[in-house]
Amino acid sequence: MHRVPALRRLGLFLVVIYLVSGAASLSYEILWTRMLSLQFGVSIFGVVATVTAYMAGLGAGSFLGARWSRATSHPLRLFAFIELFVAITALLLPLLFQSIDAQLTVLAGSTGYTGWIALQIVVVTLVLMIPAMAMGAGFPLILAAVQEARVSLGSIYGINALGGACGALLPLWLLPNLGWLASLRMVAAVGLVMAGMLFLLSWRFERSERETTPTPAPQRPPLKWLLAYAGIGAGALLLEIGWTRLFGMVMLRTEYVLAIILAVFLLGIGFGSLLARVLVKPHWFSVLPVVASGFALFSLWWLPVLSAWIEQEHFTSLFAALWLQGSAIAFLTLPVTLVLGAWLPLLAERVGNRFQSGVWLYGANSLGAALGTLLAGFVFIPVVGTNATIVLGALLLLVLGLGLARGWASRPAWALVIIMGLVSTTVLEMPPVSRLLPKAYAGAKTLSLHEDAISITHVVAGADGQRQLLADMRRMDASSEPTAVVVQKNQVRLPLLLHPHPQRVLFLGLGTGISASASLAFPDLQRTAVELSRGAILAAQSAFRPVNGDITRQLHVVRDDARHFLMSDKAAYDVIIGDLFHPDLVGRSALLSRQQFLRARQRLAPGGLFVQWLALNQFDVANLKVVLATFRDAFPQAVIFVDAFRLAMVGMRDGEVSSAKLLANVQRLGTAQATGATGGEGPWTWLGRYWGQIPALDVPLQDEWAPVIEYRLPGARYNGELDMSKVLAWLQSIRPRVQQAASELAVAQEDFDAFERAYIATELAHRSWLALLRGQQGEGQRLLPLAYQANPNDRWVGFALADAVLQDSAAAEARGLTERQLLESVLRIRPDHTEALRRLWRLAQTAGEREQAAAYRQRLETLSPLDAVLQKP
């Protein structure tokens, strides 16, 4: 009589412990996926490798655990050893992967990018399968321990899944507060405590158990059932990987996307498993696959609605963004995952001997899921796209589910498949950008779409005719719009100007090719560009050729990851240029790490320099300091240049940046070449953008194995801390006085006046922009003319003043100026002002001044060849 309450207590203890075990397992998965993003960068390969290893390990481990559970009278004790092993492995894996990474670095030089990725995936999968197999072995052992405690298969499976959902969410708190390594150690500590508790329970409840007599192996379910349920596992993972890719494109776009999707996925599985006990009537076997397939397709129909809502919604904090966006994803996917959770206990009940059959089904489903993960990442997404991959997963669930329910010869079942197949054709293709981001791209036309395992790349044309390159729905001045063209070209002009005679240049990122086209002004230059996105390469070769000078024909393009290329390439370059990118995206922050900066330094020729650009609107002051301090650690003599709202960190292998080197470089060029090399602004304008040496900063460094910024920046963005005015104010506070700057640049005495005017013009311009950002309109407008007087060659100063003149129509009327006179005054400030040229062209056409209209048109076409007005009669 006393045994029944004891067993009930044991059952309660085990349910709680298995919930915590599920939480720890998913926390490991999220944290290890983060670890693997170092190897695999921005692609989904890290997710694919981790999930494949997990699912294959869980499947193989469950079969192994089933054998152990029949051969032992102490399943709890064995389960405790397993939890202890997993926790210790979790603590050792970072050290192991650092060693593996070092070995792979040695092999990088003899292996292409594809082979390097394949090798890493094989190694990573084999390593991670070991702890995953241990986790999988725990499932039959815990089932063996609870058989007499009146805990159902659905309950134990569901509780573990709910624990997994909590574990997937746990890193959302741990990572920003503790970082990656400390988070992993904390979860491992929980695993160690849990192992200790299991040992205590084993000692308390298993001392008087039966003798260790092996029990006969249970009869497995029919093979067709196992194959069908394995296929359902494959279909489920097609959905999960597809959703991770698709929702990650439109939502938070950070380290947190996978965690949210996994949490929602497991939440549904957990509740579905617990609800299975009420789905006892046979017709549910026919209903479940229809529900799963229908709602999977429904998630694609609602994707534009979700994306448009996220674009327009204002989230007050990172927590609010996580909660609201996660709830939206749950709304779209929870019906599917509820079905997936209910299937296992229902099938086990139908087969009979539910605990033993549950182990077989669980193992088959996990192995099928591993196969589905590989197919999604390496076959379906690259070949047919993410939308079609989700459709395939939905139809696979429908076909196999109906086959299990009604038999594959059932006519009604096939009729449902045909109907659902026809319905799915409406969502096979990704919606146009104008529907996904209607606020930013209303009326935009999608010119091309390229999707692979690296990114989803769109080229869109706006109503004004200008084209933009979007990688996973993001852009960074990757546009044919004239101002964006100048921004992109300046990213190459400055580095090539700072070297006295560049001969070999390496571009880390190609994008539209517009940046690299600025190098055409420099003669006898060997150009190499590293670009991972095939879509970007194709866009540079075709869509952006009118504005990039057909640059891809005049440089060597290598499709590779920048990290791998710098490890494998043995060439030495005079100038290496790091393109702009979003720093808080998974895998991208490694490009701002100390290790990456040192790799770039190793590829520099004597006298060479490396320039990494940052977009100031992507940073708050604290995280900007982290990147600057990290760069200074790799390049102790590093200096800063600021071009409008873009900051260039300049590091030299040896020597220093000086005015003499820049002037000598310009003087060797012809007049037209010098104009192109400086963008028509002259050498002193560029020297005037000097911002001094990077100061010593007491902040943590960005390390590949101890990253900082990708956890801090998302919170800063959603909490409103990305305040450009604070960034500009801090930069103003560290800028040296003109005399000190002239000394650091070794400006000759006879050149001091020219340098001083350019330096002060930059100072006044930034003070003006800072005043405008702070709402001090009068002060901002007062400083602009002063900056223009100091240096009329400065493009940003001239355009700011020209725009102010053009917008102040009241002042023009007060002075008695006609529209034409106003526009001509704007052109006197900036002859390349496209809006003024466009309006003057129209005025000349209306007035019948053909020659003047043709002249304006020619100037406009040179500046903006894709302008929509040029295509109109």
Side-chain angles (χ1 to χ4, degrees):
M1 295 297 293
H2 295 289
R3 180 172 174 77
V4 173
L7 288 174
R8 288 177 178 174
R9 288 197 303 272
L10 174 62
L12 179 61
F13 290 148
L14 292 181
V15 164
V16 173
I17 287 177
Y18 204 45
L19 184 143
V20 177
S21 174
S25 297
L26 264 293
S27 293
Y28 289 141
E29 182 175 357
I30 296 296
L31 294 170
W32 287 338
T33 301
R34 168 59 193 91
M35 177 176 64
L36 295 182
S37 70
L38 175 62
Q39 273 75 28
F40 298 109
V42 298
S43 71
I44 61 172
F45 293 139
V47 175
V48 169
T50 308
V51 175
T52 299
Y54 255 71
M55 301 314 298
L58 291 177
S62 67
F63 294 135
L64 183 63
R67 177 175 297 180
W68 291 347
S69 68
R70 297 193 303 271
T72 181
S73 62
H74 299 286
L76 277 184
R77 192 166 303 172
L78 190 52
F79 186 44
F81 277 113
I82 284 175
E83 293 294 332
L84 179 64
F85 169 78
V86 172
I88 293 174
T89 303
L91 293 172
L92 296 178
L93 271 181
L95 297 175
L96 176 61
F97 272 106
Q98 287 187 52
S99 175
I100 290 173
D101 187 51
Q103 296 302 317
L104 290 175
T105 299
V106 175
L107 294 174
S110 59
T111 308
Y113 177 70
T114 302
W116 188 56
I117 286 292
L119 177 62
Q120 288 185 104
I121 287 176
V122 171
V123 172
V124 164
T125 302
L126 291 176
V127 171
L128 287 186
M129 271 191 68
I130 297 172
M133 285 181 66
M135 296 175 191
F139 182 63
L141 289 172
I142 202 75
L143 289 180
V146 302
Q147 281 191 68
E148 298 180 24
R150 297 183 180 179
V151 179
S152 68
L153 170 67
S155 296
I156 200 70
Y157 180 59
I159 286 295
N160 183 249
L162 292 176
C166 296
L169 294 175
L170 183 61
L172 301 184
W173 178 83
L174 291 176
L175 288 172
N177 290 286
L178 300 179
W180 171 61
L181 284 174
S183 299
L184 188 59
R185 289 167 183 155
M186 176 173 283
V187 177
V190 172
L192 292 173
V193 171
M194 191 167 51
M197 294 177 64
L198 284 167
F199 277 119
L200 290 176
L201 287 175
S202 172
W203 178 80
R204 170 67 178 84
F205 288 100
E206 290 185 334
R207 285 183 299 171
S208 60
E209 284 291 329
R210 64 186 185 278
E211 297 293 329
T212 56
T213 303
T215 58
Q219 185 177 3
R220 65 169 173 80
L223 180 61
K224 66 177 182 179
W225 282 61
L226 292 177
L227 292 175
Y229 197 48
I232 287 173
L237 265 295
L238 290 179
L239 296 180
E240 182 181 326
I241 298 299
W243 282 337
T244 300
R245 180 67 178 277
L246 211 55
F247 294 140
M249 178 185 69
V250 302
M251 52 180 288
L252 291 173
R253 307 167 180 172
T254 69
E255 299 281 359
Y256 306 115
V257 174
L258 176 63
I260 290 177
I261 292 176
L262 270 178
V264 171
F265 208 83
L266 291 167
L267 188 69
I269 288 177
F271 280 119
S273 183
L274 295 175
L275 290 172
R277 66 181 64 188
V278 302
L279 307 178
V280 294
K281 295 184 178 180
H283 71 270
W284 282 110
F285 276 94
S286 299
V287 172
L288 292 179
V290 177
V291 171
S293 178
F295 274 92
L297 298 178
F298 176 79
S299 70
L300 294 177
W301 287 322
W302 274 78
L303 177 66
V305 178
L306 173 67
S307 179
W309 169 69
I310 291 174
E311 180 196 24
Q312 299 177 45
E313 182 70 18
H314 173 69
F315 301 103
T316 57
S317 67
L318 177 61
F319 175 79
L322 292 170
W323 169 252
L324 292 173
Q325 295 185 32
S327 298
I329 291 177
F331 168 74
L332 294 178
T333 63
L334 199 56
V336 182
T337 56
L338 284 170
V339 171
L340 295 175
W343 244 319
L344 176 63
L346 288 177
L347 288 174
E349 188 71 32
R350 186 172 178 183
V351 173
N353 199 0
R354 64 182 185 279
F355 284 101
Q356 286 76 17
S357 61
V359 172
W360 279 97
L361 291 166
Y362 176 85
N365 185 261
S366 298
L367 292 176
L371 177 62
T373 303
L374 291 173
L375 290 174
F378 297 107
V379 179
F380 294 139
I381 286 178
V383 174
V384 300
T386 305
N387 274 48
T389 298
I390 293 175
V391 168
L392 287 172
L395 294 180
L396 191 59
L397 296 183
L398 179 66
V399 170
L400 296 176
L402 289 177
L404 287 173
R406 300 185 177 186
W408 282 275
S410 170
R411 291 184 179 180
W414 283 110
L416 279 172
V417 171
I418 292 172
I419 293 171
M420 199 68 75
L422 292 174
V423 171
S424 69
T425 59
T426 62
V427 290
L428 273 175
E429 297 183 355
M430 187 170 296
V433 174
S434 58
R435 290 186 61 202
L436 293 170
L437 300 174
K439 183 178 179 180
Y441 297 100
K445 180 182 178 182
T446 300
L447 301 181
S448 67
L449 167 63
H450 181 87
E451 184 173 0
D452 53 32
I454 307 302
S455 65
I456 301 173
T457 307
H458 290 85
V459 176
V460 298
D464 58 359
Q466 303 300 343
R467 295 171 183 175
Q468 295 181 14
L469 178 67
L470 304 179
D472 290 332
M473 307 301 293
R474 294 176 299 276
R475 59 162 288 196
M476 182 66 76
D477 291 316
S479 167
S480 66
E481 194 275 326
T483 299
V485 167
V486 174
V487 170
Q488 292 169 84
K489 288 187 174 183
N490 283 358
Q491 292 174 205
V492 168
R493 285 173 176 146
L494 174 66
L496 291 180
L497 285 169
L498 292 176
H499 193 283
H501 195 158
Q503 294 180 312
R504 300 193 68 179
V505 59
L506 172 64
F507 305 104
L508 298 180
L510 176 64
T512 60
I514 295 172
S515 294
S517 70
S519 67
L520 295 173
F522 294 83
D524 305 321
L525 195 62
Q526 296 181 43
R527 306 171 183 87
T528 302
V530 180
E531 177 58 60
L532 187 54
S533 169
R534 176 65 176 165
I537 295 173
L538 294 174
Q541 291 173 342
S542 56
F544 291 94
R545 187 168 57 181
V547 286
N548 68 21
D550 203 8
I551 185 63
T552 55
R553 292 182 179 273
Q554 301 181 63
L555 58 74
H556 176 53
V557 181
V558 180
R559 191 182 180 204
D560 201 348
D561 174 77
R563 181 174 178 269
H564 172 257
F565 183 84
L566 291 177
M567 288 190 295
S568 60
D569 186 44
K570 302 305 179 184
Y573 300 91
D574 298 312
V575 177
I576 301 177
I577 305 169
D579 201 2
L580 290 172
F581 54 84
H582 290 259
D584 60 341
L585 296 181
V586 59
R588 293 286 177 91
S589 68
L591 300 179
L592 295 177
S593 68
R594 177 178 177 274
Q595 290 88 341
Q596 181 71 357
F597 294 153
L598 289 174
R599 292 186 196 105
R601 180 170 186 148
Q602 291 171 356
R603 298 275 69 81
L604 290 175
L609 58 91
F610 170 54
V611 177
Q612 177 61 60
W613 286 92
L614 305 175
L616 294 178
N617 64 337
Q618 293 287 325
F619 289 88
D620 61 347
V621 174
N623 288 291
L624 179 60
K625 288 181 178 179
V626 169
V627 178
L628 291 172
T630 305
F631 193 85
R632 186 178 187 268
D633 186 77
F635 295 93
Q637 303 302 317
V639 300
I640 304 172
F641 283 78
V642 177
D643 179 42
F645 299 126
R646 301 290 181 265
L647 183 147
M649 301 183 296
V650 182
M652 295 70 66
R653 172 178 164 172
D654 48 63
E656 297 178 346
V657 170
S658 71
S659 61
K661 292 179 180 178
L662 188 147
L663 294 173
N665 191 1
V666 174
Q667 288 169 3
R668 74 183 177 88
L669 304 175
T671 303
Q673 290 175 332
T675 300
T678 66
E681 296 184 283
W684 291 110
T685 298
W686 284 101
L687 286 169
R689 290 167 178 159
Y690 177 71
W691 221 268
Q693 296 180 351
I694 297 178
L697 300 166
D698 185 19
V699 293
L701 301 183
Q702 174 74 4
D703 189 274
E704 286 183 342
W705 294 95
V708 178
I709 60 175
E710 61 264 54
Y711 303 132
R712 292 182 175 180
L713 277 177
R717 180 199 305 167
Y718 285 101
N719 295 335
E721 297 172 12
L722 300 189
D723 188 337
M724 179 74 79
S725 66
K726 292 181 179 179
V727 173
L728 291 182
W730 181 76
L731 287 173
Q732 287 283 355
S733 71
I734 66 169
R735 196 180 196 216
R737 294 184 179 276
V738 63
Q739 292 83 2
Q740 181 182 344
S743 174
E744 292 175 1
L745 290 173
V747 176
Q749 186 61 40
E750 62 270 21
D751 293 328
F752 181 78
D753 287 345
F755 174 72
E756 182 181 35
R757 292 179 68 85
Y759 196 83
I760 290 176
T762 300
E763 179 84 15
L764 291 170
H766 277 259
R767 285 172 54 192
S768 170
W769 296 329
L770 179 57
L772 293 172
L773 287 171
R774 289 174 169 174
Q776 302 167 357
Q777 299 294 323
E779 177 68 4
Q781 296 299 331
R782 182 186 71 82
L783 293 172
L784 271 179
L786 299 176
Y788 183 75
Q789 290 172 18
N791 183 17
N793 290 326
D794 190 306
R795 173 187 170 84
W796 306 122
V797 172
F799 259 89
L801 182 60
D803 287 342
V805 170
L806 187 61
Q807 293 170 8
D808 195 357
S809 57
E813 292 177 4
R815 293 164 55 196
L817 295 178
T818 64
E819 181 182 5
R820 175 172 289 193
Q821 290 172 326
L822 173 64
L823 295 172
E824 289 173 345
S825 68
V826 169
L827 288 186
R828 283 192 291 273
I829 299 173
R830 285 304 309 182
D832 53 351
H833 198 288
T834 55
E835 178 60 24
L837 284 170
R838 189 182 297 112
R839 289 168 60 177
L840 282 169
W841 173 45
R842 288 297 192 193
L843 287 175
Q845 279 186 318
T846 303
E849 301 169 353
R850 294 184 177 180
E851 291 185 5
Q852 189 65 46
Y856 285 135
R857 179 190 173 93
Q858 184 177 5
R859 290 169 64 182
L860 182 61
E861 191 169 20
T862 300
L863 293 169
S864 183
L866 296 174
D867 200 312
V869 300
L870 298 174
Q871 316 305 322
K872 299 177 182 179

